[in-house]
Amino acid sequence: MKNNETVVVTGGAGFIGSHLCKYLLEKNYKVICIDNLVTGTLKNLESIKSGDFIFINHDITEYIEIKDNLSIIFHLASPASPVDYLQLPIQTLKVGALGTHNILGLSKSKRAIMLLASTSEVYGDPVEHPQSEEYWGNVNPVGPRGVYDEAKRFAEAMAMAYYRQQGVMTRIARIFNTYGPYMRMRDGRVVPNFIMQCLLGKEITIYGNGSQTRSFCYIDDIVEGLYRLTQCDYPMPVNLGNAQEISILEFANKVKEITRSKGKIVFRPLPEDDPKKRMPDIKKAKTILNWKPRVGLEEGLTKTISWFKNNL
Ligand code: UDP
């Protein structure tokens, strides 16, 4: 089956972006990947042999020119690990604000559907649990995480303005913690940190006392959810994530168990504004997208750990 449609993926050399590019090529789209490789890497795209794939090295905070007609623009470009956005605060703010503005302009001129990859970070350190899309969040704008949280909140506001005032077909996915193969091994997030520490026989570093919770979703489920969101006409935010909540201490023990690591668990200071709880309410995704996560933590972690082992 030949699909004549061309789609763009910004941040296509990143973790989620590269999986999405491969998924879309399998669906026979022509894929234009735009990335400035600040946190993404061409290594994530090495396995792509398709003639329907184009990579453009470009910073989307600068004007973007694309000649092709486009049907969908997936806008994922942004540093996403707390360690990255603390090191790249201005770039993070710029890509969320100026980058999103350029992408919305491009979507408007191409009459393309525009999917914004937003984040559970818009809920900040939430006082409502689990987090539904109606919750407005509890974000510290001037804290260290503010650069990412507020950039994404601004991006959501701008997407809604283009939807309401300009008729752009915007979609907003609020992506919760996601993991899987092709995560950067040293991006500082908890999944690669614990896996690497366990595989290398090092100490496992828990920040705080490990009672904070997260809900981890396997990459294939997120990619499917992102695509489905572009295939319906719902413009308001939709949470995408796994509703299986786990404390970071339990998570460390799970990674230890699967890797059979004998590494000692050590406790380090909790970073500022680190959310104490996080779990998505995914009723909307279930009803609107007919979507729910299929891969459980045990299965997803086993696959991820084996990829890390093979790519050390
Ligand atoms: N964390 C940890 N040890 C690490 C890295 C992270 O205990 O080596 C904690 C971190 O403080 C947070 C949780 O794990 O509470 C998830 O952190 P991550 O950086 O993956 O992303 P976040 O969910 O905070 O955006």
PDB file of all heavy atoms in Angstrom, residues 81-82 85 121 145 177 188-191 193-194 197 205-207 212 214 216 248 270-271 274-275 278, ligand 1:
ATOM      1  N   SER A  81      14.596  15.652  29.437  1.00  0.00           N
ATOM      2  CA  SER A  81      15.087  15.143  30.719  1.00  0.00           C
ATOM      3  C   SER A  81      15.370  16.337  31.637  1.00  0.00           C
ATOM      4  O   SER A  81      15.953  17.333  31.194  1.00  0.00           O
ATOM      5  CB  SER A  81      16.379  14.357  30.492  1.00  0.00           C
ATOM      6  OG  SER A  81      17.135  14.333  31.682  1.00  0.00           O
ATOM      7  N   PRO A  82      14.972  16.250  32.903  1.00  0.00           N
ATOM      8  CA  PRO A  82      15.268  17.363  33.819  1.00  0.00           C
ATOM      9  C   PRO A  82      16.740  17.785  33.782  1.00  0.00           C
ATOM     10  O   PRO A  82      17.045  18.982  33.783  1.00  0.00           O
ATOM     11  CB  PRO A  82      14.883  16.800  35.189  1.00  0.00           C
ATOM     12  CG  PRO A  82      13.808  15.799  34.886  1.00  0.00           C
ATOM     13  CD  PRO A  82      14.181  15.193  33.565  1.00  0.00           C
ATOM     14  N   TYR A  85      17.160  19.910  30.558  1.00  0.00           N
ATOM     15  CA  TYR A  85      16.602  21.255  30.510  1.00  0.00           C
ATOM     16  C   TYR A  85      17.150  22.172  31.594  1.00  0.00           C
ATOM     17  O   TYR A  85      17.101  23.385  31.454  1.00  0.00           O
ATOM     18  CB  TYR A  85      15.071  21.282  30.377  1.00  0.00           C
ATOM     19  CG  TYR A  85      14.204  20.580  31.374  1.00  0.00           C
ATOM     20  CD1 TYR A  85      14.048  21.069  32.655  1.00  0.00           C
ATOM     21  CD2 TYR A  85      13.460  19.459  31.011  1.00  0.00           C
ATOM     22  CE1 TYR A  85      13.191  20.444  33.561  1.00  0.00           C
ATOM     23  CE2 TYR A  85      12.618  18.822  31.906  1.00  0.00           C
ATOM     24  CZ  TYR A  85      12.485  19.315  33.178  1.00  0.00           C
ATOM     25  OH  TYR A  85      11.647  18.705  34.070  1.00  0.00           O
ATOM     26  N   GLU A 121       4.401  17.406  33.039  1.00  0.00           N
ATOM     27  CA  GLU A 121       4.999  18.501  33.811  1.00  0.00           C
ATOM     28  C   GLU A 121       4.107  19.739  33.855  1.00  0.00           C
ATOM     29  O   GLU A 121       4.310  20.611  34.694  1.00  0.00           O
ATOM     30  CB  GLU A 121       6.371  18.871  33.237  1.00  0.00           C
ATOM     31  CG  GLU A 121       7.500  17.972  33.679  1.00  0.00           C
ATOM     32  CD  GLU A 121       7.933  18.200  35.122  1.00  0.00           C
ATOM     33  OE1 GLU A 121       8.026  19.362  35.564  1.00  0.00           O
ATOM     34  OE2 GLU A 121       8.165  17.198  35.817  1.00  0.00           O
ATOM     35  N   ARG A 145      12.646  23.871  37.268  1.00  0.00           N
ATOM     36  CA  ARG A 145      11.877  23.127  36.261  1.00  0.00           C
ATOM     37  C   ARG A 145      10.931  24.031  35.480  1.00  0.00           C
ATOM     38  O   ARG A 145      10.326  23.602  34.496  1.00  0.00           O
ATOM     39  CB  ARG A 145      11.049  22.018  36.934  1.00  0.00           C
ATOM     40  CG  ARG A 145      11.903  20.951  37.602  1.00  0.00           C
ATOM     41  CD  ARG A 145      11.035  19.986  38.397  1.00  0.00           C
ATOM     42  NE  ARG A 145      10.567  18.875  37.603  1.00  0.00           N
ATOM     43  CZ  ARG A 145      11.034  17.624  37.686  1.00  0.00           C
ATOM     44  NH1 ARG A 145      11.981  17.315  38.538  1.00  0.00           N
ATOM     45  NH2 ARG A 145      10.547  16.673  36.921  1.00  0.00           N
ATOM     46  N   ASN A 177       5.707   9.897  32.020  1.00  0.00           N
ATOM     47  CA  ASN A 177       7.009   9.216  31.933  1.00  0.00           C
ATOM     48  C   ASN A 177       6.969   8.036  30.964  1.00  0.00           C
ATOM     49  O   ASN A 177       6.125   7.144  31.110  1.00  0.00           O
ATOM     50  CB  ASN A 177       7.438   8.715  33.318  1.00  0.00           C
ATOM     51  CG  ASN A 177       7.738   9.866  34.259  1.00  0.00           C
ATOM     52  OD1 ASN A 177       6.852  10.631  34.600  1.00  0.00           O
ATOM     53  ND2 ASN A 177       8.983   9.994  34.669  1.00  0.00           N
ATOM     54  N   GLY A 188      20.180  11.101  32.330  1.00  0.00           N
ATOM     55  CA  GLY A 188      19.974  11.528  33.717  1.00  0.00           C
ATOM     56  C   GLY A 188      18.626  11.154  34.288  1.00  0.00           C
ATOM     57  O   GLY A 188      18.381  11.354  35.475  1.00  0.00           O
ATOM     58  N   ARG A 189      17.737  10.617  33.455  1.00  0.00           N
ATOM     59  CA  ARG A 189      16.431  10.257  33.997  1.00  0.00           C
ATOM     60  C   ARG A 189      16.510   8.936  34.759  1.00  0.00           C
ATOM     61  O   ARG A 189      17.452   8.177  34.628  1.00  0.00           O
ATOM     62  CB  ARG A 189      15.388  10.194  32.880  1.00  0.00           C
ATOM     63  CG  ARG A 189      14.946  11.588  32.505  1.00  0.00           C
ATOM     64  CD  ARG A 189      13.823  11.562  31.523  1.00  0.00           C
ATOM     65  NE  ARG A 189      14.314  11.349  30.178  1.00  0.00           N
ATOM     66  CZ  ARG A 189      13.593  11.625  29.101  1.00  0.00           C
ATOM     67  NH1 ARG A 189      12.381  12.101  29.212  1.00  0.00           N
ATOM     68  NH2 ARG A 189      14.099  11.422  27.904  1.00  0.00           N
ATOM     69  N   VAL A 190      15.443   8.695  35.496  1.00  0.00           N
ATOM     70  CA  VAL A 190      15.523   7.582  36.432  1.00  0.00           C
ATOM     71  C   VAL A 190      15.651   6.227  35.721  1.00  0.00           C
ATOM     72  O   VAL A 190      16.387   5.350  36.191  1.00  0.00           O
ATOM     73  CB  VAL A 190      14.326   7.614  37.415  1.00  0.00           C
ATOM     74  CG1 VAL A 190      13.012   7.273  36.739  1.00  0.00           C
ATOM     75  CG2 VAL A 190      14.581   6.716  38.602  1.00  0.00           C
ATOM     76  N   VAL A 191      14.976   6.056  34.582  1.00  0.00           N
ATOM     77  CA  VAL A 191      15.019   4.732  33.940  1.00  0.00           C
ATOM     78  C   VAL A 191      16.438   4.412  33.438  1.00  0.00           C
ATOM     79  O   VAL A 191      17.019   3.399  33.857  1.00  0.00           O
ATOM     80  CB  VAL A 191      13.950   4.606  32.828  1.00  0.00           C
ATOM     81  CG1 VAL A 191      14.078   3.261  32.123  1.00  0.00           C
ATOM     82  CG2 VAL A 191      12.546   4.784  33.397  1.00  0.00           C
ATOM     83  N   ASN A 193      19.222   5.843  34.300  1.00  0.00           N
ATOM     84  CA  ASN A 193      20.151   5.852  35.443  1.00  0.00           C
ATOM     85  C   ASN A 193      20.155   4.508  36.169  1.00  0.00           C
ATOM     86  O   ASN A 193      21.199   3.898  36.361  1.00  0.00           O
ATOM     87  CB  ASN A 193      19.756   6.939  36.451  1.00  0.00           C
ATOM     88  CG  ASN A 193      20.450   8.258  36.157  1.00  0.00           C
ATOM     89  OD1 ASN A 193      20.985   8.462  35.069  1.00  0.00           O
ATOM     90  ND2 ASN A 193      20.421   9.166  37.117  1.00  0.00           N
ATOM     91  N   PHE A 194      18.980   4.045  36.549  1.00  0.00           N
ATOM     92  CA  PHE A 194      18.916   2.792  37.323  1.00  0.00           C
ATOM     93  C   PHE A 194      19.395   1.596  36.491  1.00  0.00           C
ATOM     94  O   PHE A 194      20.108   0.733  36.994  1.00  0.00           O
ATOM     95  CB  PHE A 194      17.491   2.536  37.837  1.00  0.00           C
ATOM     96  CG  PHE A 194      17.069   3.417  38.994  1.00  0.00           C
ATOM     97  CD1 PHE A 194      17.925   4.376  39.519  1.00  0.00           C
ATOM     98  CD2 PHE A 194      15.806   3.273  39.575  1.00  0.00           C
ATOM     99  CE1 PHE A 194      17.538   5.195  40.582  1.00  0.00           C
ATOM    100  CE2 PHE A 194      15.414   4.074  40.648  1.00  0.00           C
ATOM    101  CZ  PHE A 194      16.274   5.041  41.147  1.00  0.00           C
ATOM    102  N   GLN A 197      23.189   1.841  36.164  1.00  0.00           N
ATOM    103  CA  GLN A 197      23.840   1.568  37.451  1.00  0.00           C
ATOM    104  C   GLN A 197      23.790   0.073  37.766  1.00  0.00           C
ATOM    105  O   GLN A 197      24.778  -0.505  38.209  1.00  0.00           O
ATOM    106  CB  GLN A 197      23.149   2.395  38.555  1.00  0.00           C
ATOM    107  CG  GLN A 197      23.451   3.881  38.428  1.00  0.00           C
ATOM    108  CD  GLN A 197      22.498   4.772  39.234  1.00  0.00           C
ATOM    109  OE1 GLN A 197      21.435   4.333  39.661  1.00  0.00           O
ATOM    110  NE2 GLN A 197      22.875   6.031  39.427  1.00  0.00           N
ATOM    111  N   THR A 205      21.223   5.227  42.712  1.00  0.00           N
ATOM    112  CA  THR A 205      21.015   6.520  43.379  1.00  0.00           C
ATOM    113  C   THR A 205      19.543   6.905  43.428  1.00  0.00           C
ATOM    114  O   THR A 205      18.945   7.252  42.417  1.00  0.00           O
ATOM    115  CB  THR A 205      21.770   7.628  42.613  1.00  0.00           C
ATOM    116  OG1 THR A 205      21.321   7.612  41.242  1.00  0.00           O
ATOM    117  CG2 THR A 205      23.273   7.436  42.662  1.00  0.00           C
ATOM    118  N   ILE A 206      18.986   6.846  44.612  1.00  0.00           N
ATOM    119  CA  ILE A 206      17.607   7.322  44.789  1.00  0.00           C
ATOM    120  C   ILE A 206      17.663   8.751  45.301  1.00  0.00           C
ATOM    121  O   ILE A 206      18.381   9.034  46.266  1.00  0.00           O
ATOM    122  CB  ILE A 206      16.847   6.409  45.776  1.00  0.00           C
ATOM    123  CG1 ILE A 206      16.594   5.060  45.097  1.00  0.00           C
ATOM    124  CG2 ILE A 206      15.555   7.066  46.244  1.00  0.00           C
ATOM    125  CD1 ILE A 206      15.665   4.147  45.834  1.00  0.00           C
ATOM    126  N   TYR A 207      16.931   9.635  44.646  1.00  0.00           N
ATOM    127  CA  TYR A 207      16.877  11.021  45.115  1.00  0.00           C
ATOM    128  C   TYR A 207      15.741  11.127  46.125  1.00  0.00           C
ATOM    129  O   TYR A 207      14.617  10.709  45.853  1.00  0.00           O
ATOM    130  CB  TYR A 207      16.656  11.983  43.953  1.00  0.00           C
ATOM    131  CG  TYR A 207      17.711  11.886  42.851  1.00  0.00           C
ATOM    132  CD1 TYR A 207      17.438  12.346  41.559  1.00  0.00           C
ATOM    133  CD2 TYR A 207      18.977  11.354  43.108  1.00  0.00           C
ATOM    134  CE1 TYR A 207      18.395  12.263  40.554  1.00  0.00           C
ATOM    135  CE2 TYR A 207      19.934  11.264  42.108  1.00  0.00           C
ATOM    136  CZ  TYR A 207      19.641  11.717  40.836  1.00  0.00           C
ATOM    137  OH  TYR A 207      20.575  11.630  39.836  1.00  0.00           O
ATOM    138  N   GLN A 212       8.505   9.165  46.424  1.00  0.00           N
ATOM    139  CA  GLN A 212       7.815   9.833  45.310  1.00  0.00           C
ATOM    140  C   GLN A 212       7.415   8.797  44.264  1.00  0.00           C
ATOM    141  O   GLN A 212       8.102   7.779  44.114  1.00  0.00           O
ATOM    142  CB  GLN A 212       8.697  10.939  44.689  1.00  0.00           C
ATOM    143  CG  GLN A 212       9.901  10.501  43.891  1.00  0.00           C
ATOM    144  CD  GLN A 212      11.161  10.324  44.731  1.00  0.00           C
ATOM    145  OE1 GLN A 212      11.093   9.890  45.874  1.00  0.00           O
ATOM    146  NE2 GLN A 212      12.316  10.614  44.150  1.00  0.00           N
ATOM    147  N   ARG A 214       5.924   7.613  40.290  1.00  0.00           N
ATOM    148  CA  ARG A 214       5.792   7.891  38.855  1.00  0.00           C
ATOM    149  C   ARG A 214       5.008   6.727  38.257  1.00  0.00           C
ATOM    150  O   ARG A 214       4.830   5.684  38.888  1.00  0.00           O
ATOM    151  CB  ARG A 214       7.177   7.975  38.162  1.00  0.00           C
ATOM    152  CG  ARG A 214       8.037   9.160  38.584  1.00  0.00           C
ATOM    153  CD  ARG A 214       7.448  10.492  38.192  1.00  0.00           C
ATOM    154  NE  ARG A 214       8.337  11.622  38.497  1.00  0.00           N
ATOM    155  CZ  ARG A 214       8.363  12.269  39.664  1.00  0.00           C
ATOM    156  NH1 ARG A 214       7.583  11.894  40.664  1.00  0.00           N
ATOM    157  NH2 ARG A 214       9.176  13.290  39.837  1.00  0.00           N
ATOM    158  N   PHE A 216       5.128   4.589  34.652  1.00  0.00           N
ATOM    159  CA  PHE A 216       5.992   4.469  33.474  1.00  0.00           C
ATOM    160  C   PHE A 216       5.287   3.758  32.329  1.00  0.00           C
ATOM    161  O   PHE A 216       4.762   2.655  32.492  1.00  0.00           O
ATOM    162  CB  PHE A 216       7.267   3.706  33.837  1.00  0.00           C
ATOM    163  CG  PHE A 216       8.099   4.412  34.867  1.00  0.00           C
ATOM    164  CD1 PHE A 216       8.029   4.051  36.209  1.00  0.00           C
ATOM    165  CD2 PHE A 216       8.931   5.464  34.507  1.00  0.00           C
ATOM    166  CE1 PHE A 216       8.785   4.711  37.169  1.00  0.00           C
ATOM    167  CE2 PHE A 216       9.693   6.133  35.452  1.00  0.00           C
ATOM    168  CZ  PHE A 216       9.620   5.758  36.799  1.00  0.00           C
ATOM    169  N   ILE A 248       9.534   5.298  43.600  1.00  0.00           N
ATOM    170  CA  ILE A 248      10.879   5.202  43.011  1.00  0.00           C
ATOM    171  C   ILE A 248      11.702   4.118  43.731  1.00  0.00           C
ATOM    172  O   ILE A 248      12.498   3.426  43.104  1.00  0.00           O
ATOM    173  CB  ILE A 248      11.566   6.600  43.025  1.00  0.00           C
ATOM    174  CG1 ILE A 248      10.825   7.554  42.064  1.00  0.00           C
ATOM    175  CG2 ILE A 248      13.041   6.522  42.673  1.00  0.00           C
ATOM    176  CD1 ILE A 248      10.744   7.112  40.606  1.00  0.00           C
ATOM    177  N   LEU A 270      16.974  15.241  47.197  1.00  0.00           N
ATOM    178  CA  LEU A 270      15.888  15.356  46.219  1.00  0.00           C
ATOM    179  C   LEU A 270      16.044  16.679  45.467  1.00  0.00           C
ATOM    180  O   LEU A 270      16.183  17.723  46.103  1.00  0.00           O
ATOM    181  CB  LEU A 270      14.553  15.319  46.966  1.00  0.00           C
ATOM    182  CG  LEU A 270      13.295  15.195  46.125  1.00  0.00           C
ATOM    183  CD1 LEU A 270      13.227  13.834  45.443  1.00  0.00           C
ATOM    184  CD2 LEU A 270      12.045  15.394  46.995  1.00  0.00           C
ATOM    185  N   PRO A 271      16.027  16.660  44.120  1.00  0.00           N
ATOM    186  CA  PRO A 271      16.117  17.929  43.391  1.00  0.00           C
ATOM    187  C   PRO A 271      14.945  18.861  43.724  1.00  0.00           C
ATOM    188  O   PRO A 271      13.866  18.386  44.096  1.00  0.00           O
ATOM    189  CB  PRO A 271      16.051  17.496  41.920  1.00  0.00           C
ATOM    190  CG  PRO A 271      16.372  16.043  41.908  1.00  0.00           C
ATOM    191  CD  PRO A 271      15.943  15.501  43.222  1.00  0.00           C
ATOM    192  N   ASP A 274      10.866  18.607  42.764  1.00  0.00           N
ATOM    193  CA  ASP A 274      10.631  17.258  42.217  1.00  0.00           C
ATOM    194  C   ASP A 274       9.197  16.823  42.594  1.00  0.00           C
ATOM    195  O   ASP A 274       8.857  16.761  43.775  1.00  0.00           O
ATOM    196  CB  ASP A 274      11.656  16.311  42.849  1.00  0.00           C
ATOM    197  CG  ASP A 274      11.795  15.003  42.109  1.00  0.00           C
ATOM    198  OD1 ASP A 274      10.898  14.151  42.239  1.00  0.00           O
ATOM    199  OD2 ASP A 274      12.808  14.829  41.420  1.00  0.00           O
ATOM    200  N   PRO A 275       8.335  16.532  41.613  1.00  0.00           N
ATOM    201  CA  PRO A 275       6.953  16.171  41.946  1.00  0.00           C
ATOM    202  C   PRO A 275       6.885  14.939  42.854  1.00  0.00           C
ATOM    203  O   PRO A 275       7.590  13.958  42.631  1.00  0.00           O
ATOM    204  CB  PRO A 275       6.322  15.876  40.578  1.00  0.00           C
ATOM    205  CG  PRO A 275       7.149  16.658  39.606  1.00  0.00           C
ATOM    206  CD  PRO A 275       8.551  16.617  40.154  1.00  0.00           C
ATOM    207  N   ARG A 278       2.849  11.219  40.733  1.00  0.00           N
ATOM    208  CA  ARG A 278       2.426  11.439  39.350  1.00  0.00           C
ATOM    209  C   ARG A 278       1.776  10.184  38.804  1.00  0.00           C
ATOM    210  O   ARG A 278       2.361   9.105  38.828  1.00  0.00           O
ATOM    211  CB  ARG A 278       3.611  11.828  38.481  1.00  0.00           C
ATOM    212  CG  ARG A 278       3.183  12.215  37.089  1.00  0.00           C
ATOM    213  CD  ARG A 278       4.349  12.505  36.197  1.00  0.00           C
ATOM    214  NE  ARG A 278       4.984  13.769  36.475  1.00  0.00           N
ATOM    215  CZ  ARG A 278       6.242  14.026  36.176  1.00  0.00           C
ATOM    216  NH1 ARG A 278       6.995  13.092  35.632  1.00  0.00           N
ATOM    217  NH2 ARG A 278       6.757  15.207  36.417  1.00  0.00           N
TER     218      ARG A 278
HETATM  219  N1  UDP B   1      15.420   9.905  40.352  1.00  0.00           N
HETATM  220  C1  UDP B   1      16.127   9.139  41.247  1.00  0.00           C
HETATM  221  N2  UDP B   1      17.386   8.736  40.919  1.00  0.00           N
HETATM  222  C2  UDP B   1      17.962   9.030  39.725  1.00  0.00           C
HETATM  223  C3  UDP B   1      17.239   9.795  38.795  1.00  0.00           C
HETATM  224  C4  UDP B   1      15.965  10.228  39.140  1.00  0.00           C
HETATM  225  O1  UDP B   1      15.639   8.837  42.354  1.00  0.00           O
HETATM  226  O2  UDP B   1      19.110   8.606  39.507  1.00  0.00           O
HETATM  227  C5  UDP B   1      14.051  10.320  40.707  1.00  0.00           C
HETATM  228  C6  UDP B   1      13.748  11.790  40.491  1.00  0.00           C
HETATM  229  O3  UDP B   1      14.131  12.556  41.608  1.00  0.00           O
HETATM  230  C7  UDP B   1      12.246  11.752  40.297  1.00  0.00           C
HETATM  231  C8  UDP B   1      12.008  10.408  39.590  1.00  0.00           C
HETATM  232  O4  UDP B   1      13.157   9.634  39.856  1.00  0.00           O
HETATM  233  O5  UDP B   1      11.580  11.745  41.532  1.00  0.00           O
HETATM  234  C9  UDP B   1      11.826  10.535  38.091  1.00  0.00           C
HETATM  235  O6  UDP B   1      12.853  11.343  37.608  1.00  0.00           O
HETATM  236  P1  UDP B   1      13.127  11.598  36.067  1.00  0.00           P
HETATM  237  O7  UDP B   1      14.387  12.407  35.980  1.00  0.00           O
HETATM  238  O8  UDP B   1      13.089  10.327  35.326  1.00  0.00           O
HETATM  239  O9  UDP B   1      11.927  12.486  35.516  1.00  0.00           O
HETATM  240  P2  UDP B   1      10.679  13.276  36.133  1.00  0.00           P
HETATM  241  O10 UDP B   1       9.602  12.264  36.254  1.00  0.00           O
HETATM  242  O11 UDP B   1      11.061  13.856  37.481  1.00  0.00           O
HETATM  243  O12 UDP B   1      10.403  14.324  35.140  1.00  0.00           O
END
